[in-house]
Amino acid sequence: MAGNVQAPAPVGARLQQDRKARSGWQGGARVWEETEQQAKKLKSSGDEDGEQHRKLPKRKIVLLMAYSGKGYHGMQRNVGSSQFKTIEDDLVSALVRSGCIPENHGEDMRKMSFQRCARTDKGVSAAGQVVSLKVWLIDDILEKINSHLPSHIRILGLKRVTGGFNSKNKCDARTYFYMLPTFAFAHKDRDVQDETYRLTAETLQSVNRLLACYKGTHNFHNFTSQKGPREPSAQRYILDMYCEEPFVREGMEFAVIKVKGQSFMTHQIRKMVGLVVAIVKGYAPESVLARSWGEAKVDVPKAPGLGLVLERVHFEKYNQRFGNDGLHEPLDWAQEEAEVAAFKEQHIYPAIVSTERHERSMAQWLSTLPVHDFSATAHAAAKVPSPLEGSEGDGDSD
């Protein structure tokens, strides 16, 4: 029994053990516990803003975007709806995957103060869309975002802006173009109605004379839906509208109509083009143009969505105030012009030409004009304005 009893350690040995404990053995355990607790705190706090360990401040920026809208149901994201894919679905995914926004910002875009200049409609493309948002300014940010985007969606530029910048509210004007085959202007009684048609200088002059009538402020309630003739928001200001010289692509002649306005309502541009085409072809009298701005209901034909492209957005007032303040750059994108032009040549123009050749959307729409009733007004009385109307979100949604 006595042999099994452990002898007490010498006094010197016990003192040495106490010194070791005091100098780190027990302290090491405490340090480890404290470190683990700190790590848990960092992890829990990091869940709120995503990868907080970056220690990068979020900055308000704008991105210059170009995209081909074919196959997409417009620009604006429909959160919770995966049935209809939009441009913003792909953009937000790329922003998250590149690491410049946390994942929860992708789920709730308000957290990154996201705003678009124009809410382009189904199938509509853009060469100069601008969106504003807050991001982490990571290294090689454009390259990383683009690496997670399909080739028909590109981020071509980035600029820092003021903290309160909103791309929709700060936008003074938008410029769209509408690319169409020139046989759309072939007179129904005098000209061939196929792709062998070539636009004459005389017809181009007539087209531009009619397009110029849109300049100024007019009541465009007949050029959209759900808008009464007495609603103030039906009044829209057009700065310019004209048709450029024609050009040939793959044996078919095309022309580009450009229009610059403060803002546009849903389908407004397509109806503006559609009415001019109907007049030039001889299906409608010129008088219907002025009548369409009156209070009476006029059934204005809507040209196909194919061919409509958001070309650029304008920030004149912002540039005057902040563009030369020494802190911010003017939003003019002059240095990106070559890339914008290259994207149009590579993705936008070929998509329009190819789709028109295979789907013949313009030819099919033109076949409806002979039966279109431009004089009918009795079947649709003027609409009583509603206090719920006039709030079309981005306003610019053709």
Side-chain angles (χ1 to χ4, degrees), residues 8-72:
V11 175
R14 288 201 304 271
L15 291 173
Q16 187 177 6
Q17 288 176 355
D18 291 342
R19 283 197 298 269
K20 285 183 177 180
R22 285 195 297 270
S23 64
W25 293 99
Q26 293 178 358
R30 287 196 299 271
V31 170
W32 182 85
E33 289 176 1
E34 291 173 1
T35 303
E36 186 182 45
Q37 290 173 356
Q38 290 174 356
K40 287 180 178 179
K41 286 181 180 179
L42 283 174
K43 185 177 185 300
S44 61
S45 63
D47 288 341
E48 180 65 26
D49 284 332
E51 302 175 28
Q52 194 180 47
H53 65 275
R54 294 177 180 276
K55 296 182 180 178
L56 289 174
K58 289 189 178 70
R59 301 300 187 196
K60 178 63 77 70
I61 63 163
V62 292
L63 297 175
L64 175 67
M65 291 185 66
Y67 53 83
S68 173
K70 184 179 181 181
Y72 289 88

Side-chain angles (χ1 to χ4, degrees), residues 230-254:
R230 298 182 183 179
E231 291 184 60
S233 59
Q235 299 281 336
R236 299 289 162 134
Y237 179 55
I238 305 300
L239 288 87
D240 202 6
M241 193 167 187
Y242 60 92
C243 182
E244 296 180 334
E245 291 289 332
F247 55 93
V248 176
R249 290 291 173 100
E250 297 183 18
M252 186 182 297
E253 188 179 66
F254 287 84

Side-chain angles (χ1 to χ4, degrees), residues 73-91:
H73 285 258
M75 170 71 179
Q76 188 172 2
R77 192 182 193 197
N78 301 310
V79 178
S81 174
S82 58
Q83 183 179 1
F84 302 110
K85 189 177 183 181
T86 69
I87 298 293
E88 286 177 11
D89 287 330
D90 281 355
L91 173 62

Side-chain angles (χ1 to χ4, degrees), residues 266-288:
T266 304
H267 301 151
Q268 180 183 339
I269 297 174
R270 291 165 61 185
K271 283 178 172 282
M272 291 167 73
V273 172
L275 186 54
V276 167
V277 167
I279 295 172
V280 173
K281 290 190 77 68
Y283 289 115
E286 282 191 36
S287 60
V288 74

Side-chain angles (χ1 to χ4, degrees), residues 31-313:
V31 170
W32 182 85
E33 289 176 1
E34 291 173 1
T35 303
E36 186 182 45
Q37 290 173 356
Q38 290 174 356
K40 287 180 178 179
K41 286 181 180 179
L42 283 174
K43 185 177 185 300
S44 61
S45 63
D47 288 341
E48 180 65 26
D49 284 332
E51 302 175 28
Q52 194 180 47
H53 65 275
R54 294 177 180 276
K55 296 182 180 178
L56 289 174
K58 289 189 178 70
R59 301 300 187 196
K60 178 63 77 70
I61 63 163
V62 292
L63 297 175
L64 175 67
M65 291 185 66
Y67 53 83
S68 173
K70 184 179 181 181
Y72 289 88
H73 285 258
M75 170 71 179
Q76 188 172 2
R77 192 182 193 197
N78 301 310
V79 178
S81 174
S82 58
Q83 183 179 1
F84 302 110
K85 189 177 183 181
T86 69
I87 298 293
E88 286 177 11
D89 287 330
D90 281 355
L91 173 62
V92 170
S93 174
L95 292 172
V96 172
R97 293 171 67 190
S98 65
C100 59
I101 64 167
E103 190 169 353
N104 64 343
H105 284 30
E107 296 164 0
D108 185 356
M109 297 170 70
R110 292 173 299 181
K111 290 184 176 180
M112 58 176 164
S113 303
F114 186 93
Q115 188 57 265
R116 68 205 66 79
C117 271
R119 185 181 54 198
T120 54
D121 205 356
K122 176 183 176 182
V124 177
S125 299
Q129 173 75 278
V130 170
V131 299
S132 57
L133 68 159
K134 290 182 179 179
V135 299
W136 288 312
L137 286 174
I138 59 176
D139 293 336
D140 304 317
I141 183 171
L142 291 189
E143 182 180 342
K144 289 177 180 176
I145 296 173
N146 281 324
S147 70
H148 296 290
L149 285 170
S151 60
H152 55 268
I153 303 178
R154 292 288 95 179
I155 306 299
L156 302 179
L158 178 153
K159 292 189 180 183
R160 288 279 303 275
V161 288
T162 56
F165 185 88
N166 179 305
S167 61
K168 173 196 164 189
N169 296 339
K170 295 296 183 183
C171 182
D172 304 307
R174 292 115 171 135
T175 295
Y176 282 82
F177 72 76
Y178 189 90
M179 180 173 162
L180 73 170
T182 57
F183 63 71
F185 297 125
H187 194 277
K188 65 183 180 68
D189 298 325
R190 299 193 299 266
D191 302 314
V192 295
Q193 303 295 309
D194 56 35
E195 61 186 66
T196 62
Y197 174 82
R198 293 295 181 264
L199 187 65
T200 64
E202 182 182 2
T203 302
L204 179 59
Q205 187 176 5
S206 298
V207 170
N208 277 321
R209 179 177 56 81
L210 291 168
L211 292 175
C213 295
Y214 285 121
K215 291 197 290 185
T217 301
H218 299 286
N219 188 331
F220 284 99
H221 74 98
N222 278 313
F223 293 77
T224 188
S225 57
Q226 299 182 337
K227 188 72 68 176
R230 298 182 183 179
E231 291 184 60
S233 59
Q235 299 281 336
R236 299 289 162 134
Y237 179 55
I238 305 300
L239 288 87
D240 202 6
M241 193 167 187
Y242 60 92
C243 182
E244 296 180 334
E245 291 289 332
F247 55 93
V248 176
R249 290 291 173 100
E250 297 183 18
M252 186 182 297
E253 188 179 66
F254 287 84
V256 167
I257 294 173
K258 289 194 175 182
V259 54
K260 181 180 180 180
Q262 285 183 335
S263 62
F264 299 92
M265 297 177 288
T266 304
H267 301 151
Q268 180 183 339
I269 297 174
R270 291 165 61 185
K271 283 178 172 282
M272 291 167 73
V273 172
L275 186 54
V276 167
V277 167
I279 295 172
V280 173
K281 290 190 77 68
Y283 289 115
E286 282 191 36
S287 60
V288 74
L289 190 58
R291 187 159 55 88
S292 68
W293 296 324
E295 291 198 5
K297 181 68 179 177
V298 176
D299 187 10
V300 177
K302 180 176 64 179
L306 178 68
L308 184 61
V309 178
L310 173 64
E311 183 165 54
R312 70 173 66 231
V313 289

